[in-house]
């Protein structure tokens, strides 16, 4: 990778070096416009190993790194329950923030962070990577260009091969806030419309550690958009065959299908018993380009070269929809969401 001259690079630190953070760290280390100065994880050995690999400094305490005035921006990929405290500390220290989803676990907490970001004039970008995926972007451009006509139906599928660890699930917030939030954001972003009604269905089928209503493993969410279109989101934590993220917009004039074939390569194995394809297994594979692009975008926005995208306001909107889905599941009925996306309890139980 050809790096920009040192002086022109944005000095960045990253906290949390697990499944997602290690990937972001490697992208930060190889993005021309950044200098990865610190990697931080409470597991010192992990931080040491990644620091050595990426030629950066390491620490097991975010606060030490935040005190360094040379750091301009912080990438936060710690467990979701820690986001509020870490984002707030980073903003208070005058750093720009890229944070994995969800930005925080309640709308009140996100509002507090937004107020803080406005007061300190710092940027907050959230890890809604689908906005940076070439396939989803191409479908959105077609819709924007009028090629699909009026959208009638949106569909989004997100499935993982096997569930993350019990520890991850315990600190991730609700299923909707952790998982469906990607589809809810993609829905708003792709159609360019707000969602006004949500109804959620869920099941816990694969393992005794999943249970309703708090911790499902299979979910379907039906949504209605402000312009009248309907949407269906299906999610599974236990797809078995691989990681899959696919979507569709059925429109008046044309239908756009996104990511139908997510295979590792273009080889199909034909046998007497049938055809086989190597499906991608993990999110790292499916979204490698998007994860890199979102970080590059963040740095471009910090530098003032690009418009902010996947903002704190988007994080708030998506979380409010996730909460509406949770309420719908608990109350076994549709829940309407008003124009400012506040969940209405008009017909509360
Ligand atoms: N956008 C996506 O596709 C995607 C995919 C997976 C996870 N995520 C998000 O990324 C975040 C991290 O998820 P993950 O799967 O990488 O989790 P993980 O458990 O694999 O990693 C979390 C890391 O944070 C470290 N950590 C915990 N507490 C810390 C502290 N106080 N200080 C410093 N480090 C600390 C842990 O040691 C661990 O290495 C979550 O918010 C999750 O929602 C996003």
């Amino acid at each position: 990778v050809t790096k920009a001259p040192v002086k022109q690079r944005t000095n960045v630190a990253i906290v949390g070096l697990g499944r997602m953070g290690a990937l972001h760290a490697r992208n930060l280390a190889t993005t021309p416009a950044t200098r990865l100065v610190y990697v931080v994880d409470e597991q010192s050995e992990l931080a040491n190993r990644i620091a050595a690999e990426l030629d950066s400094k390491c620490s097991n305490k975010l606060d030490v790194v935040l005190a360094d005035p040379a750091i301009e921006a912080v990438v936060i990929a710690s467990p979701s329950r820690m986001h509020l405290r870490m984002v707030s500390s980073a903003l208070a220290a005058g750093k720009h923030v890229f944070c994995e989803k969800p930005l925080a676990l309640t709308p009140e907490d996100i509002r507090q962070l937004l107020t803080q970001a406005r007061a300190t004039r710092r940027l907050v970008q959230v890890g809604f990577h689908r906005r940076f995926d070439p396939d989803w972007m191409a479908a959105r451009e077609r819709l924007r260009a009028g090629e699909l006509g009026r959208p009638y139906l949106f569909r989004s599928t997100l499935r993982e091969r096997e569930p993350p660890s019990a520890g991850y699930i315990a600190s991730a917030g609700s299923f909707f806030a952790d998982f469906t939030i990607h589809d809810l954001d993609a829905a708003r972003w792709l159609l360019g419309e707000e969602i006004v009604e949500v109804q959620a269905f869920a099941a816990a089928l694969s393992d005794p550690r999943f249970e309703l209503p708090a911790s499902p493993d299979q979910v379907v969410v039906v949504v209605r958009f402000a312009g009248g279109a309907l949407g269906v989101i299906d999610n599974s934590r236990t797809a078995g065959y691989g990681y899959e993220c696919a979507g569709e917009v059925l429109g008046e004039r044309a239908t756009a299908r996104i990511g139908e074939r997510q295979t590792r390569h273009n080889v199909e194995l034909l046998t007497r018993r049938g055809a086989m394809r190597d499906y991608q297994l993990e999110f790292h594979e499916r979204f490698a380009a998007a994860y890199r692009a979102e970080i590059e975008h963040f740095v471009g926005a910090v530098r003032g070269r690009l418009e902010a995208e996947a903002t704190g306001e988007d994080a708030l909107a998506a979380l409010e929809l996730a909460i509406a889905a949770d309420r719908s599941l608990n109350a076994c009925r549709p829940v309407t969401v008003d124009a400012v996306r506040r969940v209405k309890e008009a017909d509360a139980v």
Side-chain angles (χ1 to χ4, degrees):
V1 183
T2 316
K3 284 273 192 183
V6 174
K7 274 194 191 150
Q8 290 166 23
R9 288 189 233 154
T10 301
N11 289 328
V12 187
I14 180 165
V15 57
L17 300 169
R19 294 186 309 162
M20 200 63 230
L23 190 156
H24 283 316
R26 291 187 180 107
N27 282 338
L28 285 164
T30 51
T31 294
T34 59
R35 191 160 81 92
L36 179 60
V37 184
Y38 285 103
V39 297
V40 184
D41 198 289
E42 67 172 8
Q43 300 180 57
S44 303
E45 219 172 279
L46 175 64
N48 273 323
R49 182 161 51 76
I50 296 197
E53 176 194 327
L54 302 178
D55 196 20
S56 62
K57 295 191 253 187
C58 75
S59 171
N60 57 4
K61 292 240 170 352
L62 178 62
D63 291 344
V64 173
V65 170
L66 293 180
D68 183 340
I71 300 297
E72 299 165 80
V74 178
V75 171
I76 295 173
S78 55
S80 300
R81 218 166 271 294
M82 291 170 188
H83 291 178
L84 172 67
R85 182 175 60 76
M86 289 183 168
V87 175
S88 181
S89 307
L91 289 173
K95 317 299 183 194
H96 299 282
V97 174
F98 175 98
C99 182
E100 265 307 331
K101 43 48 68 173
L103 180 56
L105 295 178
T106 71
E108 296 68 37
D109 291 344
I110 294 187
R111 282 195 196 94
Q112 178 206 310
L113 294 175
L114 290 180
T115 306
Q116 222 187 319
R118 275 184 218 115
T120 54
R121 297 169 145 262
R122 297 296 100 161
L123 195 76
V124 174
Q125 186 177 321
V126 184
F128 290 144
H129 57 269
R130 230 182 279 180
R131 292 175 178 240
F132 300 90
D133 178 69
D135 299 339
W136 285 79
M137 288 169 79
R140 185 171 182 265
E141 276 157 28
R142 304 249 156 176
L143 179 67
R144 287 284 147 106
E147 288 178 54
L148 308 191
R150 183 181 176 191
Y152 293 155
L153 204 57
F154 165 85
R155 182 172 59 80
S156 180
T157 291
L158 181 58
R159 300 174 187 166
E160 60 189 350
R161 183 170 58 101
E162 56 183 31
S165 67
Y168 173 94
I169 291 176
S171 68
S174 77
F175 183 98
F176 303 106
D178 177 54
F179 202 89
T180 319
I181 200 158
H182 284 299
D183 304 284
L184 294 166
D185 178 67
R188 298 180 60 242
W189 166 79
L190 184 57
L191 262 69
E193 284 179 35
E194 292 302 339
I195 288 171
V196 294
E197 189 177 2
V198 173
Q199 183 155 19
F201 303 84
L205 303 173
S206 67
D207 186 307
R209 76 181 150 114
F210 295 110
E211 55 178 7
L212 292 182
S215 186
D217 56 3
Q218 323 295 327
V219 155
V220 173
V221 180
V222 179
V223 303
R224 191 189 302 277
F225 291 87
L230 293 179
V232 185
I233 293 167
D234 78 82
N235 294 153
S236 175
R237 282 219 190 268
T238 56
Y241 61 86
Y243 176 90
E244 185 172 16
C245 175
E248 184 172 32
V249 180
L250 184 153
E252 183 187 9
R253 281 199 282 281
T255 293
R257 279 208 181 143
I258 308 162
E260 286 289 300
R261 277 202 174 199
Q262 297 168 15
T263 50
R264 285 185 153 169
H265 41 66
N266 245 336
V267 177
E268 206 169 16
L269 192 67
L270 305 179
T271 74
R272 286 168 74 102
R273 290 170 52 213
M276 280 192 288
R277 284 187 226 127
D278 254 354
Y279 271 85
Q280 292 172 341
L281 298 185
E282 309 294 343
F283 56 84
H284 303 82
E285 298 175 61
R286 169 63 185 89
F287 284 114
Y291 293 131
R292 174 169 283 280
E294 68 180 346
I295 289 292
E296 285 174 354
H297 190 99
F298 170 62
V299 177
V302 164
R303 280 277 173 254
R305 285 191 285 102
L306 296 170
E307 290 279 308
E309 177 71 61
T311 61
E313 283 78 8
D314 293 319
L316 177 60
L319 184 72
E320 286 183 324
L321 292 169
I323 289 171
D326 224 0
R327 296 215 173 143
S328 161
L329 182 67
N330 281 293
C332 299
R333 61 177 170 77
V335 168
T336 54
V337 186
D338 71 15
V340 287
R341 304 180 298 272
R342 214 162 282 129
V343 176
K344 264 192 197 161
E345 283 299 314
D347 47 350
V349 266

